Structures are given as structure tokens and as C-alpha cells.
Amino acid sequence: MKYLFERCHAGLICLCLMLYWPVANAHQMSTAYLQLSQSPLHVSPFETSAEVSATTPRLYGELQLRWFDLELVIGLDANTDGELSWAEVDARSSEIKGFVKQHLAILSAGNNCDLLLENDIQTDMHFDEGYLVLYFSSNCGLSVEDSQVAALTVQYSAIFTQDADHKLLVNADLFQRKYSGVIDAQNQRYLIEPESNPLLSIISTYIYQGVLHIFKGTDHILFLCALLLTCVLQRVNHQWQAKPQVKRVLKDTAWIITAFTVAHSLTLTATAMDIIVPSSRWVEFGIALSVMLTALNNIWPVVLRLGWITFAFGLLHGMGFAGVLGELGIDKDQKLLSVIAFNLGVELGQLLILAALLPILLYVGKRHWYQKYGLQASSAIIALIALQWCITRF
């Protein structure tokens, strides 16, 4: 009975790890962009600047959506040749604008603002992906001189049915302040208040996104798991044995987590601030390789002092975090604040994972089955997942 109980524990750990089996592109995100201003963001080639400034609408906007996302919901590729032509886009322009009006709304004092979409459809590129660009204006009654204006609410519901991880990044230059927020499937509205502090909004938004990313970043989670699987064990006579003192476990774990935190904080900040510009393809491959090598090191130990190797691999993971932050978008005027807040969110999520995992490891680390079978089986599963990443990301 005891033998069966131990095997069930080992199987449960393996099953939990298998539930985290990821998609190949762990960091590829579906992101849309919305910019709002009280000044024109675009002058139509058929209008002069004087004509635009004389018009009555006082709210101007620019919406960017991935062509790939629009293909999912509308089906723009009429001849199904895998390539989108301008003729195919132009033929469905009315449908595209109807889709935007159906899923994007701006409210002032609870009333819907009438969005006047420009006829011109334009394109842009973000992270080597094509984007639809639509400009619009509205007569929401905003005035630069009038400080007694109602709050604006942005409501957005596109793409979420097809991609639950889709996000809309909102940047607004209104009420003589700059605002930045994120709309996702869980919270499909963003409130812009004249009297609110936009800095607090930026901090809370990016801390939340940092926490969210560490929980969705399966490669980062499995890297932490691979590191922590041996934190309750020590190598004696070529065998894994439980560490005799909890104090030592906590000390060694703190050293590993600190090394990882310092390393990825450095490269996250440096990459996000454009101090270094690494190749995203090789960063993603390097992250997958780091997970695989760390897991294999648990099975065939070569490096027993994990602090420095954790620091080295942490540098790669920081560049991966920065890639996500870049896709999410950063307010140019609050770039450093956004980076710091996002990094704090990552650390918070990391500590939550550690708090959940460490008590379990302290319990199973004293069991013979874990020392002899559980560690190796769990590490082998992680290594196989990481190998699949390496192949697809190379």
C-alpha cells in the first residue's frame, strides 16, 4: 500500500507538469493598439490641416488591429492562397469598419460617442506583423480649455472569442495628461478620469501585466520548477538525499531566486530601454535551451552550485520578459516607470509560484521515492517539453 501511495504521489507531480504543456511560441501575443487625443492624429490626403482643425469633433483616435486577427474573425483571404492582397481588403472595407464599430465604443457621461471612421484604410508593422490602421473622430464634446469634462470609458470586445489572450493597449493624451491602460478578456473597459492620477494607473496596469505574464509564461514557470526541484536535496556519494535543515533549504532557495531576479531585472530593463537589442528568435531559443539543460542537470548533475548558472540563464529570460513588454507597448513619456512596474509584477508572480511550490517540495523531498524517482521523472518531462520548444523555435 505504501509503495502504491508513493507512486501515486510521483504520478501526480508528473501529471501537474504535463498540464503545463505549452504552445511553441510562448511569447507571441495578439495585441491591438488604441490612441486617443484631443488633437488630430492624422491628416487625410484629401484635407488640409486648416480644414481638419476647423471641424467640430474634438476627440481623435487611431486603432490598429493585426491583419491575422481580422482574418480569424472576418475571413479576408477570399481566394485562400495564404496571402492578403489590397484588393481583398478593399472589397471588405465596409465589413471591417462595421466590425470595428460593433466592438469599439467610447462613452462620455454614460452616452455613446458617435465614431466617424475615415474612409482610408492604412497599414503598419509591429514586430514583423502587419496591422490595419483606422483613424476616427468623435463629437464627444471634449475641450482643452474646459476642465469640467466627464470621464471617458473605452469599451472593446473584439478578438477575445477567438483568442482569450488578446489585449488592447490604450494610450490617451487627454485633459492635459497622458494615460495608459490595457483592456483584456477579463476587463473589457478602461476608464479615463480627468481627476485621476495617470501614474498610479500606469503602475497598477503594468504590475498586473507582469504578474499575468509570469503565470502565462510556461517556459519561465518550468525553468523555476527545474531549479527548485533540487533545492530540498543535496548530492551525497552520487545520490540525491534530503537536506537535513529547513534553514539551509531556505538559504539555498533564496540565493537561487535572488540570482534569477537580479539577472532578468538587468536585461529586462536594458532591453526595454533599448540599451541592448537582441534577436527575439535566438532569445526564445536560448530560453528553451536553458530549461532543457537545467532539467537534464537534475538527472545527470554536472553543476551543483546553481547560483551562477541561474544568473547566466536569467539574463536570457529577462530579454524574453522585455519582448513581451515591447509587444504590450510602453508609454514613451513613462518608459522607466512602466518597466519598473512590469518587473515588480514579474517578481510578485514569481514569489507566488515559490510560495505554492516550496511547501510541497519540503514535504516530498524527505521521501525516498522522490529522491530516487520523482525528481528524475519530473525533470525528464520538463526536458522533453523544452526539447520540443528548441526544435520549433530554432
Side-chain angles (χ1 to χ4, degrees):
M1 179 65 69
K2 181 180 178 182
Y3 179 84
L4 180 61
F5 179 74
E6 290 174 348
R7 291 300 178 274
C8 289
H9 271 79
L12 182 61
I13 290 179
C14 294
L15 178 61
C16 289
L17 289 171
M18 290 177 71
L19 290 176
Y20 278 106
W21 193 283
V23 294
N25 297 318
H27 294 300
Q28 186 175 351
M29 297 173 63
S30 170
T31 306
Y33 303 91
L34 176 66
Q35 186 175 355
L36 299 173
S37 175
Q38 289 170 272
S39 301
L41 296 170
H42 164 71
V43 177
S44 170
F46 303 104
E47 297 175 308
T48 66
S49 299
E51 289 172 336
V52 172
S53 61
T55 57
T56 54
R58 295 171 183 168
L59 177 68
Y60 300 89
E62 175 191 311
L63 176 67
Q64 297 198 17
L65 288 168
R66 288 199 311 173
W67 288 116
F68 180 82
D69 291 331
L70 286 171
E71 169 62 22
L72 287 178
V73 297
I74 297 179
L76 300 176
D77 187 11
N79 58 9
T80 64
D81 64 350
E83 295 184 2
L84 197 60
S85 68
W86 189 250
E88 290 171 325
V89 172
D90 189 54
R92 307 290 292 278
S93 61
S94 297
E95 194 171 346
I96 292 172
K97 292 175 184 177
F99 176 80
V100 169
K101 280 199 168 188
Q102 179 183 355
H103 293 282
L104 175 65
I106 299 176
L107 290 77
S108 176
N111 299 315
N112 261 312
C113 300
D114 187 24
L115 302 185
L116 308 174
L117 301 182
E118 287 193 6
N119 291 326
D120 297 337
I121 290 180
Q122 301 188 30
T123 63
D124 198 356
M125 295 287 292
H126 294 282
F127 303 97
D128 298 323
E129 290 198 72
Y131 273 74
L132 158 81
V133 181
L134 269 180
Y135 292 97
F136 62 86
S137 57
S138 177
N139 57 352
C140 271
L142 300 179
S143 173
V144 176
E145 293 78 16
D146 182 10
S147 59
Q148 302 300 316
V149 291
L152 288 181
T153 301
V154 179
Q155 292 185 173
Y156 175 81
S157 58
I159 317 300
F160 296 129
T161 302
Q162 290 73 26
D163 187 345
D165 293 329
H166 176 73
K167 291 178 176 60
L168 174 71
L169 177 65
V170 181
N171 282 304
D173 186 0
L174 301 170
F175 318 124
Q176 300 179 347
R177 293 184 178 184
K178 293 183 182 294
Y179 299 82
S180 182
V182 178
I183 291 178
D184 55 26
Q186 290 71 41
N187 187 9
Q188 298 183 12
R189 59 173 55 200
Y190 176 62
L191 181 63
I192 303 173
E193 297 180 286
E195 302 302 323
S196 67
N197 188 336
L199 295 183
L200 293 178
S201 175
I202 290 173
I203 292 171
S204 61
T205 294
Y206 284 95
I207 286 179
Y208 170 75
Q209 291 300 323
V211 173
L212 193 64
H213 173 67
I214 194 69
F215 282 117
K216 290 185 177 181
T218 317
D219 45 6
H220 302 304
I221 292 177
L222 289 190
F223 180 68
L224 283 173
C225 288
L227 286 172
L228 295 174
L229 286 175
T230 60
C231 71
V232 296
L233 304 177
Q234 60 184 354
R235 196 75 173 168
V236 179
N237 296 327
H238 305 290
Q239 298 292 328
W240 288 111
Q241 296 182 7
K243 290 179 180 176
Q245 296 179 335
V246 174
K247 182 179 179 181
R248 184 180 169 188
V249 172
L250 296 178
K251 180 181 177 181
D252 292 345
T253 303
W255 168 237
I256 290 173
I257 293 298
T258 300
F260 184 57
T261 297
V262 171
H264 74 62
S265 296
L266 287 173
T267 48
L268 167 59
T269 304
T271 306
M273 300 298 290
D274 297 323
I275 298 174
I276 58 175
V277 186
S279 166
S280 59
R281 175 190 173 188
W282 290 110
V283 167
E284 293 300 315
F285 174 76
I287 289 173
L289 188 63
S290 73
V291 177
M292 185 177 71
L293 293 178
T294 303
L296 291 176
N297 189 65
N298 293 342
I299 303 172
W300 298 288
V302 175
V303 180
L304 296 178
R305 296 182 178 273
L306 297 178
W308 291 110
I309 193 171
T310 301
F311 183 86
F313 287 152
L315 296 174
L316 279 171
H317 285 255
M319 296 177 195
F321 289 136
V324 172
L325 184 57
E327 288 188 44
L328 198 59
I330 307 177
D331 190 310
K332 294 180 180 179
D333 296 324
Q334 301 295 340
K335 199 170 188 179
L336 183 59
L337 180 64
S338 301
V339 171
I340 293 173
F342 184 81
N343 196 46
L344 287 175
V346 170
E347 305 315 324
L348 179 58
Q350 183 176 286
L351 290 175
L352 292 174
I353 293 171
L354 177 63
L357 189 60
L358 190 56
I360 298 173
L361 292 175
L362 285 170
Y363 173 77
V364 300
K366 297 177 182 179
R367 272 60 186 172
H368 177 71
W369 63 265
Y370 178 76
Q371 300 164 18
K372 195 166 185 179
Y373 305 110
L375 169 66
Q376 289 78 0
S378 303
S379 298
I381 292 173
I382 294 175
L384 287 173
I385 294 173
L387 175 61
Q388 185 255 344
W389 281 336
C390 289
I391 294 172
T392 55
R393 295 180 185 183
F394 185 74

